[in-house]
Amino acid sequence: MTYLDYNASAPMPEAVAGAMMAAARLCGNPSSVHAYGRKARAAIEDARREVAGAVGARPEQVVFTSGATEANAMALRCCGRPRVLVSAVEHESVLNAVGTAARISVDGNGVIDLGHLRDLLAEGGGQSVVSVMLANNETGVIQPLDAVVALASETGALVHCDAVQGPGRMPVDFTALGVDFLSLSAHKLGGPKGVGALILRLEGTLDAGMRGGGQERGLRGGTENLTGIAGFGAAARAVPAGLAQAGAVERLRNELETRVRAGAPDAVVFGDGAHRLPNTACIALPGVSAEAQVMALDLAGVAVSAGSACSSGKIKASHVLRAMGVADGLAACAIRVSLGPETGAADIESFMAAWGKLAARTRQSAA
Ligand code: PMP
């Protein structure tokens, strides 16, 4: 099997599964004061240090959540800013967090239009929170967060960044980024599904996302997902190793794109005029629907996504490609291939063997 869908969810290393099993066996409630409780609490605080360390934050800035969807909603709904500005290429969990959010347009590569952001901020920056992702889950395109933070700070706007696709693929330093809020998801870096974190720059800038027993410094009530959090911590520990592989991953991704272009001169690689994550390729093969490509590749044992995994299953034109000005017909032929540290040359061969057959078929029908 060839797994090329790391942006949907990354495989879990044995060490992470082991850390989860060990945590699952801890019977204490992390809020209990006895020895069992203290052991559970220690496992959570260890994981908090690991997660903070992986993204250049301090442990006390980390609030564990059920994933990035919750972290995104919490940041945008609980920060006390009535005006929400989101880039048009955000994940659905950001786009839909606040129904009245205004959309910041992007250029043909999917990079945020800073002039449009400046205009939107001029209408009331001090009342606003801006949400711009670090890197796009469908195309891998990296956003100019430095410029976003600079513009926002001129007007007193807060900045939230969905950094889910970053850790292990590009350097992520919360402090250097200068954003107020940053969202993470464990399962994109080899941790379990259903756990994530919101990182906060300053205490007191956020209202509780969920009231309850005062957990997570009162910001997110509910007995902590100890097993999941322990897995998240173990996965965060592997972030530097992932980053060390980024050059090798990029060489494989570039080889794949070169061979795709050679095999189908009309194929389109989206976002290739911008800085991109090293692991992501979003490719259209005109005339073959994404659904047909995903199915043919699946039959050959190769796993990829049609656009974003969250919207596949119900194949509709990707809002990301649409915002980039891609025609619906071409967007409907786009697949996302996303690699990881375990990807090898044999995986690229498997992909090319199956995808090359599809491309050959289109050449024959055109002839
Ligand atoms: N943001 C981005 C950029 C994502 O890729 C995803 C996962 N598809 C999410 C948010 C949602 O994360 P989670 O699955 O942890 O809710």
Side-chain angles (χ1 to χ4, degrees), residues 67-68 71-73 75 160-165 181-185 197-199:
N72 288 340
H160 165 255
C161 177
D162 175 344
V164 161
Q165 297 291 346
F181 311 108
L182 182 124
S183 300
L184 299 174
S185 177
L198 183 64
I199 320 275

Side-chain angles (χ1 to χ4, degrees), residues 83-302:
R83 259 183 106 235
V84 180
L85 313 178
V86 302
S87 93
V89 293
E90 295 299 309
H91 186 262
E92 279 91 348
S93 57
V94 168
L95 292 179
N96 300 327
V98 175
T100 55
R103 301 227 176 151
I104 311 156
S105 51
V106 298
D107 68 14
N109 279 306
V111 177
I112 179 176
D113 177 346
L114 292 168
H116 190 214
L117 173 60
R118 186 182 287 115
D119 292 346
L120 289 168
L121 285 169
E123 295 163 18
Q127 292 296 306
S128 307
V129 57
V130 182
S131 185
V132 175
M133 70 206 316
L134 193 59
N136 188 269
N137 46 306
E138 293 185 36
T139 61
V141 167
I142 296 170
Q143 298 293 348
L145 257 297
D146 289 1
V148 172
V149 170
L151 282 175
S153 64
E154 280 171 21
T155 62
L158 296 174
V159 179
H160 165 255
C161 177
D162 175 344
V164 161
Q165 297 291 346
R169 297 170 191 168
M170 64 182 279
V172 182
D173 186 324
F174 175 72
T175 310
L177 272 173
V179 300
D180 297 281
F181 311 108
L182 182 124
S183 300
L184 299 174
S185 177
H187 72 104
K188 308 292 180 174
L189 40 135
K193 295 151 187 70
V195 60
L198 183 64
I199 320 275
L200 314 175
R201 190 158 72 90
L202 295 175
E203 193 76 32
T205 44
L206 200 71
D207 197 8
M210 190 122 66
R211 286 179 217 289
Q215 290 89 350
E216 297 298 289
R217 298 189 313 289
L219 291 172
R220 207 274 184 178
T223 301
E224 297 88 340
N225 173 5
L226 175 57
T227 311
I229 290 170
F232 192 3
R237 210 172 303 147
V239 161
L243 213 47
Q245 290 288 313
V249 169
E250 185 165 25
R251 279 192 289 281
L252 287 174
R253 191 273 314 266
N254 291 350
E255 182 197 325
L256 182 144
E257 289 182 353
T258 303
R259 291 175 65 178
V260 156
R261 286 184 167 113
D266 58 343
V268 181
V269 177
F270 297 107
D272 64 344
H275 293 297
R276 281 185 298 159
L277 290 176
N279 77 319
T280 309
C282 184
I283 300 163
L285 177 60
V288 187
S289 75
E291 201 171 10
Q293 292 180 64
V294 170
M295 278 163 47
L297 287 162
D298 186 36
L299 282 174
V302 179

Side-chain angles (χ1 to χ4, degrees), residues 284-348:
L285 177 60
V288 187
S289 75
E291 201 171 10
Q293 292 180 64
V294 170
M295 278 163 47
L297 287 162
D298 186 36
L299 282 174
V302 179
V304 301
S305 272
S308 122
C310 310
S311 59
S312 53
K314 39 177 170 114
I315 302 277
K316 59 174 168 88
S318 144
H319 70 275
V320 173
L321 297 180
R322 198 176 262 180
M324 289 162 63
V326 178
D328 281 358
L330 185 60
C333 301
I335 58 166
R336 175 188 65 190
V337 185
S338 51
L339 291 59
E342 293 84 10
T343 306
D347 297 312
I348 306 304

